[in-house]
Structure formats: structure tokens, C-alpha cells
Amino acid sequence: MATSSILRRAFLYVPSSSPKFLQKTYNLTADTVCYDLEDSVAPAKKPEARDNLRKFLSDKRPPNITELCVRINDVSTGLALDDLSSVLKADHIDAIAVPKVGSASDMHFITDVIRHQLPDRHPSTPSADSNPVKIIALIETAEAIMNLKEICQASPYISGLVFAAEDFARDLSITRTPSLTEFLYARSAIVTAARAFNLPSTIDLVCTKFRGEEGMKTLEEECLQGKQMGFNGKQCIHPTQVETAQRVFAPGKEEVEYSVRILIADSKATASGRGAFTLDGKMIDAPVVGKARMVVKRAELCGFDVKAVEEEWKDQEPE
């Protein structure tokens, strides 16, 4: 995926109708917490949840959450404008998650509201202090899959795609199975579109099992599968899922070590005029080196001590 300073390895939903749950996020450590105004909030509770969230996000910022996101109601409900008008007044808001994005027009609506309400946080004029608002689009329908190109190009604020498997299954009248093979086309389409349009985040489906040893095993298996497909984050519905998601979607020790070795050997090969070489019996060329650079960059973002690995392998030579 695109190299970016944005990490969304865990994308944890928290219902905004519960002040208790909001307060609990002060004790969480996570890349992104997405405070929910949509599915987890009953219709009669939405105005109250909106007010709760605006007040909460105007108080002190949770210290160990990198990104504060809000999932609003989708454009077709008629509630999106009220949601945005309220939460965009808060002092601490980094991103808006937009559910049920079906076409570019949904993105245009959200973009126009953000541009009107927060003109100083538009990505066209970035600066050290501007912190542009980011839009994360939830892909939940067949229509959205067919319109991925237009959605990815619809807004300068767009920063990632999320695959909402349960709604997608309902839309297509398919049944989710443990293998997740029924979602292969949609998931592949999402990661491909995000890469094509240089979006930094692709966030995979929710793991509905989270209780006990079996639930955590299923979560880890799903994370590994998603990572293999090109996703770089996982939606979480319970705080206990966060550690696993952030560990799996960070580069592993062996992966970082191998990537560092590639880069050190490549610098020496380049200095001697060699365009390709072997390492551990495998051919290393430009695409492999490019991937190694991405791995090392992500490892640094995840807090990995890359300098120590570089020191350990400074004598690596190309074979």
C-alpha cells in the first residue's frame, strides 16, 4: 500500500450513545477510535448521542489514541448534515467515516459540508498546523464496488476505504462463512482501487468472534488473511481485539530484518554498478527493494527500532 504517516491497524468502534463507553476511551491505546453515530445508536437516541460526542470531543483529548474519527449516518438518511454540523464543531476530530457510500455524489455532499464548515482544514492548503480532515469511505454494497474508481477520485479529503462485510452480504443475499471466500472479489477490488489511487488505508471486515481463546484465534487468522490480501488494518468491535490487530498489521521482526538486509545489500550492489543480486538464494531486483523500503517505513511508524537492526546487519553483502 501507499507509504503514509497514517496508521489504522486497528479501527475500533465505540457507540456514542453511552457516556460510559466514551469515557473508557481515555484508557485505551489504539491507532484509530471511531465514535459511532450510526448502527450502534437507536434512532431515538441519535440527537443525544450527537450532543454527547460533541461535548466529549471538545474536552481533553484521549492521550493514547492517534486518530479520533466519527462515523456519521449515511447521506440517504437525512441525518448526515446534522451529524456533521455538530461534530465538526468539536475541538478534537481527525476523520469522518461515511457509511454506505454508493457513488461519488455521496462523497461530494460530505466534502462540501466539511469545506464550508472547516475551510482552514482543507487538504489543498496543507501546512504543519492545518491537519486536514480525512474522509474514510465504507464500502457496503454492490453499487459501491462497481463505483470504486469514482469514489476514490471524488474528494481531496478521502484517506481510506473500509469493507463492511455484513451489509455487503445482505445486499447480495449471501451467507458469510468462516473461509470468507464469498467476499474475495469485493475485498480484492477494494485493496486494488485503494492502491491505484494512492489511498493510505484499506481496513478489512469485522471479526464477529472475539470471546475466549477460539475467538482470538479466529481474529488472528482473519487479520493474517486480510494482510496477505493487501489490507493494512482491521475493524474492531471490542477493545480486546485491538492488540491483535495492531500486532498482525505491523511488520514482524523477521520481515523487518529481511527488509533491512535487502536495503543494505542493495546500497552496496548499486555502488558497484549491479542492478540485481541474490540474498539467501533469492533474486532481488527493483520491485523487491521497493517493497522492502515500504516495510521498513511502516516498521518505523509502528515504533520498531530499525536503527538497531541496521547496525546488526551493517556488514550484509549482496550475494
Side-chain angles (χ1 to χ4, degrees):
M1 300 306 299
T3 301
S4 170
S5 60
I6 297 173
L7 280 178
R8 298 186 180 112
R9 295 167 296 175
F11 193 83
L12 174 65
Y13 292 107
V14 173
S16 297
S17 55
S18 169
K20 180 179 72 172
F21 286 154
L22 294 178
Q23 291 297 318
K24 281 186 174 181
T25 62
Y26 281 117
N27 299 317
L28 292 178
T29 297
D31 287 346
T32 299
V33 167
C34 186
Y35 298 100
D36 189 28
L37 292 172
E38 194 212 12
D39 285 349
S40 66
V41 180
K45 289 282 189 181
K46 289 188 187 289
E48 179 184 341
R50 200 180 288 138
D51 289 341
N52 287 344
L53 189 55
R54 179 178 49 79
K55 292 173 184 175
F56 176 79
L57 291 176
S58 294
D59 200 354
K60 61 182 179 179
R61 186 181 177 106
N64 297 312
I65 299 170
T66 305
E67 181 177 63
L68 303 178
C69 180
V70 175
R71 180 167 71 173
I72 61 172
N73 289 278
D74 70 270
V75 174
S76 69
T77 64
L79 298 171
L81 180 58
D82 286 342
D83 290 344
L84 289 169
S85 297
S86 179
V87 300
L88 290 176
K89 294 175 183 175
D91 294 334
H92 310 298
I93 184 164
D94 304 308
I96 298 292
V98 185
K100 298 178 178 64
V101 173
S103 66
S105 62
D106 295 327
M107 298 293 288
H108 293 158
F109 176 84
I110 304 300
T111 297
D112 289 344
V113 176
I114 296 174
R115 182 182 284 125
H116 176 72
Q117 295 207 20
L118 293 176
D120 294 337
R121 294 183 63 187
H122 187 273
S124 65
T125 54
S127 70
D129 302 319
S130 62
N131 185 25
V133 178
K134 302 164 188 70
I135 293 177
I136 302 166
L138 275 75
I139 305 302
E140 312 191 32
T141 62
E143 177 191 20
I145 294 294
M146 293 296 99
N147 290 331
L148 277 171
K149 178 180 178 181
E150 292 77 13
I151 290 169
C152 290
Q153 294 177 301
S155 173
Y157 297 97
I158 189 165
S159 177
L161 302 176
V162 176
F163 179 47
E166 303 308 316
D167 284 277
F168 185 80
R170 181 178 60 185
D171 188 49
L172 273 67
S173 297
I174 57 180
T175 300
R176 177 172 176 156
T177 66
S179 71
L180 305 177
T181 52
E182 60 278 359
F183 299 128
L184 179 61
Y185 172 74
R187 293 165 83 197
S188 295
I190 287 169
V191 296
T192 302
R195 184 67 192 97
F197 295 99
N198 207 34
L199 304 186
S201 290
T202 45
I203 302 166
D204 202 8
L205 44 68
V206 166
C207 178
T208 55
K209 288 184 178 180
F210 60 88
R211 304 220 181 260
E213 186 176 333
E214 184 178 341
M216 298 310 289
K217 180 182 177 184
T218 300
L219 172 64
E220 180 148 359
E221 290 171 350
E222 284 191 15
C223 288
L224 288 167
Q225 184 194 68
K227 184 177 182 179
Q228 186 177 30
M229 292 186 67
F231 286 92
N232 54 25
K234 182 81 165 172
Q235 295 170 87
C236 299
I237 54 174
H238 195 274
T240 57
Q241 296 180 318
V242 169
E243 188 278 330
T244 297
Q246 297 201 164
R247 172 172 49 80
V248 174
F249 282 101
K253 180 181 178 182
E254 291 183 1
E255 185 180 14
V256 176
E257 187 174 90
Y258 186 60
S259 297
V260 166
R261 291 174 62 205
I262 288 173
L263 296 184
I264 291 172
D266 177 65
S267 67
K268 295 177 181 178
T270 301
S272 63
R274 294 167 60 185
F277 58 95
T278 60
L279 188 66
D280 296 348
K282 298 176 183 177
M283 189 188 79
I284 307 297
D285 57 5
V288 178
V289 173
K291 182 181 178 183
R293 286 199 181 95
M294 292 168 63
V295 168
V296 170
K297 174 65 175 176
R298 188 166 176 84
E300 290 172 338
L301 292 173
C302 294
F304 206 101
D305 189 356
V306 172
K307 295 295 184 186
V309 182
E310 291 173 340
E311 178 62 26
E312 181 182 354
W313 289 98
K314 63 184 179 182
D315 296 326
Q316 176 69 58
E317 296 288 338
E319 297 169 1

